[in-house]
Amino acid sequence: MIEIVSASRCIECDICVKVCPANVFDAVPDSAPIIARQDDCQTCYLCEIYCPVDALYVAHRAEGHFPITEAEVEERNLFGSYARALGWKRGKAGGTEHDPTHRIRVAAV
Amino acid sequence: MSRPPFPTLPEKSETTVRPGKGLTFWPITGERMSSDRVKSTGNDPLHLQADVLVLGGGPSGAWAALAAAEDGARVVLADKGYLGTSGATAPSNTGTWCVPPGENRGQAVERRWQRTGGLADQRWMLRCVDQAYENLVKLSEWGYLFPHEDDGRLYIANLRGPDYMRFMRRRVLKAGVTVLDHHPALELLSNGDAITGASGVDRQRNRDWSVEAKAVVLATGGCAFHERILGATGLTGDGYLMAAEAGAHLSGMEFTGKYTLAPYETSLNKGLPYRWATFYREDGSPLLDANGEQVSNGIGEREKDIAKALIDGPVFARLDHAEPALQDWLRRGQPNCFVPHDRAGIDPFKDLFRITLRAEGTVRGTGGIMLATVDCGTGVPGLYVAGDAASRENMTGAVSGGGAVNSSWAIASGWWSGKGASTYARKSARKAFRSISKPLGEAGLRPAGNARADLRTAQIIEAVRAEVIPLEKNYFRDGTTLHTSSERLESLWNDVRQHLHTEGVDRVRSREAASITASARWSLASALARSESRGMHRRADRPGSDPAFARRILVSGVDAVRIGEAQISREGIAS
């Protein structure tokens, strides 16, 4: 579930508030959004890739809180790691033309 | 094209839906208007008029909105979450059932039909591959970037969820559709003869909304019973309850026995990597099948062995059959499958990791609202259905449509329902908006008895889950257990119907709890009625398939559940 909104990275654009399909965040005037309904998070990681500054971290555990520090996420270079794997940059989509999934499907038969 | 044009809508004065103080009117002009522009004053209710209202912003809803808008209809699309990230497709990477035109198409359909337990309909299958192919080509023409095969041909049989749905959002907005994000629908409106719109709540502004429409498309997705799987947050069966309250039938609700492997406690219900997995017990010893062979390839016949082992205790997997080239393709092609492993510090190609089987309800199951007409009408005038909200038995019968068939179905049924709804809207144009509309919602909104504050939606959902999620009850079924579960759910439904009541934004939760409970009831009633095993419906007390059951099980009714049946014709489309 969503664990971190990095206040040091966040530019307060509130895109995550808008795009989260589970309505997990609440916008706060002149501040980073807060995680208002963590337990509603469906662990889809989509907020991370829409974030233009890689300020969000979704932990892999989908059931229950998974405490992790911002320092650890920084150190392990996990901020924005899913976006990089897809080819999304600064919240902009990209990379579908390089998707090798068709090779996997051929191999799976 | 000799169709009458859509007449100009009357503005403001003739509106009769839920008259009250402070109605805010936004006549739809057909120009681009996103939800950002539909801002109004404070908490006053939002009121819109449209030709076609689409409920749901997954792929089928997006295609329905596009089809209706292309027809000249004024379209509003309201989604519980955000068009672009909502639904089971957006967080995933899905194949499509893509068969190019030509002589092989009939053979491909025939081959696929052989796997459907005899419940699919080849004519629906053929027209689905036809429409899905046409629309996939459209996607490419519109600028969605598909990858190329080695021979230079475009590969259009796969869609990357986040990109696909973001692309669809742009397309829908460009078509002039009014998109209302975070506007969950709570109930349908009816004038007694036909569906005339829907109403709900804007959950970010805490204000009510209603849309008067000449036709409504339910593209609300399936019911995942609150399982923690990709996209499931919005997939609570809301459309099933709304449709049943309007008098529609459901079909195939017994086919909720589909489960998919996921790393333990994660949301990643994507089976593909397990094609190259082997499985182990907690002590590290290989998981063996009945013949003493090690269980590998978890997406085929071996799934049952894994389900049995998971009832006994923890099961672990390792993707040790994946060669280095395949490892690279998997990592780059299915990156979200590796996000949980990377974050947990596990190399799934070398390390053992604990797995689970995630229940997928009707999302990868096949049940849903019965299709009464070829344009995806429900039989209720003015009400259409698309995607996972509809029964997919026509396409995939008693077996799961996985990602591929369901994905093509969302494209095709979305398109047909949008066209069907806009055609209906044009025909009914003259008499629209002249009669009083009444809201149809009952359970979770208007309790039949006294409201009970101690009745909590979270507890209701947990009680439902205890009957329809455990492998020993729902993967492996038997009549006695189904009967006991069914009795428990009757009692729970009585509580919901009589006493569940909330206010404001909390009504979304109570409607979800009611929809989940209702969906589970219909599923159990249908599973009891199907006194045999077929596809994903596995009855230990009725292990074989019975030719007498090569027919659909229909279910209808909200307070009193009624079971019916329908014969399947391999040639004809039931209408």
Side-chain angles (χ1 to χ4, degrees), chain B residues 524-532 537 539 549 551 553 563:
Chain B
L524 287 165
S526 307
L528 274 165
R530 186 171 287 287
S531 193
E532 59 152 5
H537 172 64
R539 287 268 302 250
F549 275 103
R551 59 178 195 235
I553 305 280
I563 290 286

Side-chain angles (χ1 to χ4, degrees), chain B residues 28 125 128 141 152 172 177 219 226 249 252 278 288 325 400 413 451 462 525:
Chain B
I28 306 300
M125 295 170 84
C128 177
E141 289 167 0
V172 166
V177 173
H226 252 224
H249 288 68
T278 48
L288 306 177
S400 174
S413 64
E462 275 316 302

Side-chain angles (χ1 to χ4, degrees), chain B residues 3-74:
Chain B
R3 301 181 298 211
F6 283 93
T8 309
L9 281 174
E11 286 188 23
K12 301 187 181 184
S13 58
E14 290 190 42
T15 302
T16 51
V17 172
R18 305 184 75 178
K21 57 186 165 77
L23 284 182
T24 309
F25 296 94
W26 289 86
I28 306 300
T29 58
E31 67 185 86
R32 175 179 168 158
M33 184 159 68
S34 77
S35 54
D36 294 338
R37 277 195 50 201
V38 190
K39 278 190 178 132
S40 82
T41 50
N43 290 336
D44 287 348
L46 173 76
H47 185 85
L48 301 172
Q49 290 182 339
D51 295 311
V52 174
L53 168 63
V54 178
L55 298 179
S60 70
W63 282 106
L66 281 182
E70 188 195 65
D71 240 14
R74 278 147 301 185

Side-chain angles (χ1 to χ4, degrees), chain B residues 356-368:
Chain B
T356 189
L357 275 169
R358 286 291 198 193
E360 297 174 311
T362 65
V363 178
R364 274 202 185 108
T366 60

Side-chain angles (χ1 to χ4, degrees), chain B residues 96-118:
Chain B
T96 62
W97 190 31
C98 182
V99 189
E103 289 173 13
N104 291 337
R105 200 177 250 176
Q107 290 166 21
V109 165
E110 172 74 30
R111 274 201 307 276
R112 173 80 208 182
W113 184 86
Q114 298 294 345
R115 292 162 48 193
T116 65

Side-chain angles (χ1 to χ4, degrees), chain B residues 404-425:
Chain B
V405 174
N406 287 355
S407 170
S408 288
W409 171 249
I411 294 171
S413 64
W415 194 256
W416 299 326
S417 64
K419 294 285 178 195
S422 65
T423 303
Y424 180 87

